[in-house]
Amino acid sequence: MKTQLIKDILVSQPDGRTLTVCGWVRTKRESKNLVFIQVNDGSCFASVQLTLDRENPADASVNLNSIENELKKITTGASIQAEGKLVPSPASGQAVEVALVSLTVLGEAPADAYPLQKKNHSLEFLRENAHLRARTNTFGAVARMRSQMAYAIHTFFQDRGFQYVHTPIITASDAEGAGEMFQVTTLSMEKIAENGVSAGAKGMSAEKAAALVDYGKDFFGKKASLTVSGQLEAETYATALSRVYTFGPTFRAENSNTTRHLAEFWMIEPEIAFFDLNDNMDIAEEFVKYLLNWALTKCTADMQFFNDRIQKGIIDTLAHVVNSDFVRITYTEAVAELEKNADKFEFKPYWGCDLQSEHEKFLTEVVYKRPVIVTGYPKEIKAFYMKLNEDGKTVRAMDVLVPGLGEIIGGSEREADYDVLLDRIRKLGLNPDDYRWYLDLRRFGSVPHSGFGLGFERLLLYVTGMGNIRDVIPYPRAPKLADF
Amino acid sequence: MKTQLIKDILVSQPDGRTLTVCGWVRTKRESKNLVFIQVNDGSCFASVQLTLDRENPADASVNLNSIENELKKITTGASIQAEGKLVPSPASGQAVEVALVSLTVLGEAPADAYPLQKKNHSLEFLRENAHLRARTNTFGAVARMRSQMAYAIHTFFQDRGFQYVHTPIITASDAEGAGEMFQVTTLSMEKIAENGVSAGAKGMSAEKAAALVDYGKDFFGKKASLTVSGQLEAETYATALSRVYTFGPTFRAENSNTTRHLAEFWMIEPEIAFFDLNDNMDIAEEFVKYLLNWALTKCTADMQFFNDRIQKGIIDTLAHVVNSDFVRITYTEAVAELEKNADKFEFKPYWGCDLQSEHEKFLTEVVYKRPVIVTGYPKEIKAFYMKLNEDGKTVRAMDVLVPGLGEIIGGSEREADYDVLLDRIRKLGLNPDDYRWYLDLRRFGSVPHSGFGLGFERLLLYVTGMGNIRDVIPYPRAPKLADF
């Protein structure tokens, strides 16, 4: 069929060339002699306008009868293929339009049945019609931004010598410990229930019932789950290839029915050998600025829409981050700052507390009025793999906070010393055997290394200004929600 | 620490500048006065050579005692940080080397414990040490190629106006039907067994045991599984954004313990509105050539290694594909060709049979001696969503076959007609209710569209010449295998 995308048509010279437009009709307006059809193909925010002047068609070949017959079938959502001439547009806000030569309706969208009519729909309604919502302005823009941010992430790392690593999705490792996990199995639960009933009838005691679950017969020969983080496996590649990053789905089986939680979400986790905490802060700051700058400069129409219709001022918010030097403070300094304003918080700040969202926002929005990187958290509130500072009390963690969101990135320099790491594992009551391969990285050619994690949907909430995380992923998964 | 990657050092001018090298020692050779250390950081195939001339060190500041102390700790696998001067190398095969000024061993790799010694290790041994294997020549090259091919895929599609879509990993949809699925659950199987035992003791009959499995209490409120394909969801975005692609993990719970099957693998699935079968063939051919050309031109050192050590002639094989016009034949023509040579096959070819690997290889290696795209397969051996041809017997499927592998891509034009699709679903005994949202794409603004799937690991096997699919993914998952 060899058609052009509307994004390319809209930036072409209106030199009268004949071209083919394919897409979905947004609106059709008719007066006595004039017809205007807005056609969108999702390749960009803007639609292209098709025009028909019944008294003065584009050229002598135009079959008005044929076009009129097709026009009758056109309602919002109909798909069309049109031929026409690319000409300058007299209308404001568009440089070009297409003077119709021929028109074919490919698929109708009966107005009495098609869910997406011209009126504004609630986000809830569109969530129920998630298979169609990318056809709307809002979700088209979100989808393009999601794609652009993903590509920006790959480009950032690839340009800097990072290798993309696919860490496993299914894991039998108990080593991650970052949250509640989903179990993955091919055992039949119905069969287990049946075996239980039979065994009970024969007198098995309930305490022994667990023996009826034989993981040796499960697909992987042991209990398996969905990953909650690829970090530990990414470290195995960073300590071979120097600079790596993951970008893949991760899972939490938390029963959190909020606008901020998903059961399935995408994470980016760079791991970098020979990077200490300062290097880690440098690249995290560079990374955030790069992504926001990409959004502002390469996605201008979609960003303008978010700014006008989703969150007023979002462009300024992002530009401010791009243009700021990130403040770097220690956790101890941060807590001192917060304690001065203790009366402003629901959760009273004190040295040793985990920083709450209200604290993070206060630091970045009120105290420093720009992004803040906080380092040196108490070891008790951070993960076992973070490098212990010389004080024996704090670890080389870093959280990157941005105005309007709070934490956007969490990371650390990793513990590279075998004995210190083993000690941390033991003191936390973890089983060193589960970490044998992870400890090996410290037994053989150990190197200082650092990394961080960025939740992709959290980034998208920030960039688009959308309010509900279920609206920045095509098909959200949450408690009681796995539609489509 | 701000060090340079070795890939950048190796292409720098040997102008005597001082720089820092970080990496892992591959080999150390010493003679009376001279020491040579090969250091690799995984950023590229080549190592950089550090040299020390004990009688004539790099400059007056060199502390020979300190260096000698560190040298004693160096064995294969040790990690080091070295400062030195970048100078021309007299050795063949390298333009530059680094004359040592100072040397620090960051982490030792005791020879009696470190699994990766200088000798060649079997692929099986390295599979058991998958957390270290990226430190070897072979798996470093595979990892870099995997990263390069992933980026090439994104770049190909992004440059052509495609949007990257993340289709869901967890699905409660029964609509995919492409293979055995893993179940995802938060129900406790031990608890189900226990409830079974209790119910059995109270006289429940075994036939009623399934009632003890209450999916209403499972995380998603219904039975959920891991996706086997993102295609159907990708179609919902293609019919909104015109051109989309997926690149994500997919899963098959098939009990296939072979060198060609994984339980977890990555798939690329473009879906393209307003593309018919011919357009689909065009872009599939362009895509394959683009990826192979990227490997040949941007990964020359790794490709040379694969060519020399993994599969002799692989460079020529790939170059031949890049430089060939792909033959395009119908299934009917293919079968006629095969029937002429029926005695050459284990499986006798006949019209209606599914093409076997031996048939595909014969077509592309013996008959046409270049890549072949076969179209118009009998509907009985292809999926329900493929567009029915006018003959009512065949569908607009396409399989792309390449010499040395057979099928590398499978795709089709999709059925865009609501009634025809519904009829196909019913005749196959599927439940139309499960496909409500998929059918909606044909009810509202339906458009001709096409797509295909590429198995990422299959591509990597082809490009690298590796023989076992478990060696082209960092942590393979297969029956009884979910280590790390």
Side-chain angles (χ1 to χ4, degrees), chain A residues 41 79 170 236 242 446 475, chain B residues 41 79 170 236 242 446 475 477:
Chain A
D41 70 355
S79 51
I170 298 172
T236 68
S242 293
S446 184
Y475 295 99
Chain B
D41 70 356
S79 50
I170 298 172
T236 69
S242 294
S446 184
Y475 295 100
R477 269 69 183 109

Side-chain angles (χ1 to χ4, degrees), chain B residues 138-150:
Chain B
T138 300
F139 288 95
V142 168
R144 284 185 298 274
M145 185 59 77
R146 194 174 165 104
S147 176
Q148 283 291 316
M149 286 295 95

Side-chain angles (χ1 to χ4, degrees), chain A residues 1-2 41 79 108 131 146-147 164 166 169-170 219 236 242 264 279 282 440 445-446 475 477 480, chain B residues 1-2 41 79 108 131 146-147 164 166 169-170 219 236 242 264 279 282 440 445-446 475 477 480:
Chain A
M1 299 175 62
K2 300 294 181 236
D41 70 355
S79 51
E108 298 184 48
H131 62 307
R146 194 173 167 104
S147 176
Y164 179 33
H166 288 130
I169 311 301
I170 298 172
F219 189 89
T236 68
S242 293
E264 171 181 314
D279 302 323
D282 288 347
D440 270 1
S446 184
Y475 295 99
R477 268 71 183 108
K480 310 294 175 213
Chain B
M1 300 174 58
K2 301 291 183 239
D41 70 356
S79 50
E108 297 184 48
H131 62 308
R146 194 174 165 104
S147 176
Y164 179 32
H166 288 130
I169 311 301
I170 298 172
F219 189 89
T236 69
S242 294
E264 171 182 313
D279 301 323
D282 288 347
D440 270 1
S446 184
Y475 295 100
R477 269 69 183 109
K480 309 295 173 212

Side-chain angles (χ1 to χ4, degrees), chain A residues 235-477:
Chain A
E235 284 185 54
T236 68
Y237 268 60
T239 52
L241 307 175
S242 293
R243 301 182 188 176
V244 305
Y245 66 107
T246 72
F247 188 169
T250 49
F251 305 86
R252 298 284 155 85
E254 276 167 41
N255 197 13
S256 300
N257 225 329
T258 79
T259 60
R260 298 275 148 183
H261 291 85
L262 288 170
E264 171 181 314
F265 54 100
W266 288 66
M267 284 268 285
I268 298 97
E269 300 183 288
E271 282 294 324
I272 320 157
F274 313 111
F275 262 44
D276 62 21
L277 185 61
N278 279 321
D279 302 323
N280 206 28
M281 286 193 279
D282 288 347
I283 198 163
E285 178 172 342
E286 187 186 357
F287 183 50
V288 170
K289 289 176 171 177
Y290 181 93
L291 297 181
L292 303 190
N293 189 55
W294 184 297
L296 292 171
T297 57
K298 302 202 186 210
C299 316
T300 49
D302 289 322
M303 278 309 306
Q304 196 61 54
F305 169 79
F306 294 130
N307 195 67
D308 294 344
R309 300 292 297 276
I310 303 296
Q311 188 181 116
K312 298 258 185 272
I314 183 77
I315 288 179
D316 284 346
T317 300
L318 303 188
H320 174 62
V321 172
V322 171
N323 296 317
S324 297
D325 285 332
F326 290 15
V327 175
R328 299 180 183 193
I329 57 171
T330 65
Y331 169 88
T332 301
E333 290 164 338
V335 169
E337 220 33 83
L338 295 169
E339 282 176 329
K340 285 190 221 161
N341 298 279
D343 54 325
K344 297 201 174 70
F345 304 115
E346 185 183 348
F347 296 92
K348 294 292 156 234
Y350 59 92
W351 202 99
C353 79
D354 210 350
L355 296 189
Q356 302 296 318
S357 183
E358 59 174 337
H359 303 145
E360 294 174 342
K361 288 187 173 186
F362 187 80
L363 289 169
T364 187
E365 291 167 18
V366 180
V367 181
Y368 297 104
K369 296 186 176 64
R370 52 193 170 117
V372 178
I373 308 181
V374 182
T375 58
Y377 285 77
K379 67 181 178 190
E380 287 77 12
I381 60 172
K382 289 291 183 183
F384 73 94
Y385 48 71
M386 296 190 177
K387 184 175 173 68
L388 198 62
N389 275 319
E390 293 73 15
D391 62 15
K393 293 194 299 184
T394 60
V395 290
R396 291 193 196 169
M398 66 164 198
D399 282 0
V400 181
L401 320 178
V402 289
L405 185 76
E407 184 195 327
I408 191 167
I409 275 177
S412 76
E413 187 171 340
R414 315 309 189 189
E415 185 56 72
D417 185 283
Y418 179 84
D419 294 322
V420 175
L421 182 61
L422 183 60
D423 187 55
R424 287 276 285 153
I425 287 171
R426 286 200 172 122
K427 285 212 171 116
L428 288 168
L430 304 170
N431 180 359
D433 285 347
D434 291 338
Y435 297 88
R436 180 192 56 77
W437 56 271
Y438 188 66
L439 284 160
D440 270 1
L441 307 181
R442 283 73 179 170
R443 286 177 71 200
F444 307 122
S446 184
V447 295
H449 63 289
S450 299
F452 61 84
L454 169 72
F456 189 50
E457 286 74 21
R458 218 165 148 70
L459 169 72
L460 286 169
L461 282 178
Y462 193 55
V463 171
T464 62
M466 297 290 289
N468 189 328
I469 201 163
R470 298 181 188 193
D471 293 334
V472 296
I473 189 168
Y475 295 99
R477 268 71 183 108

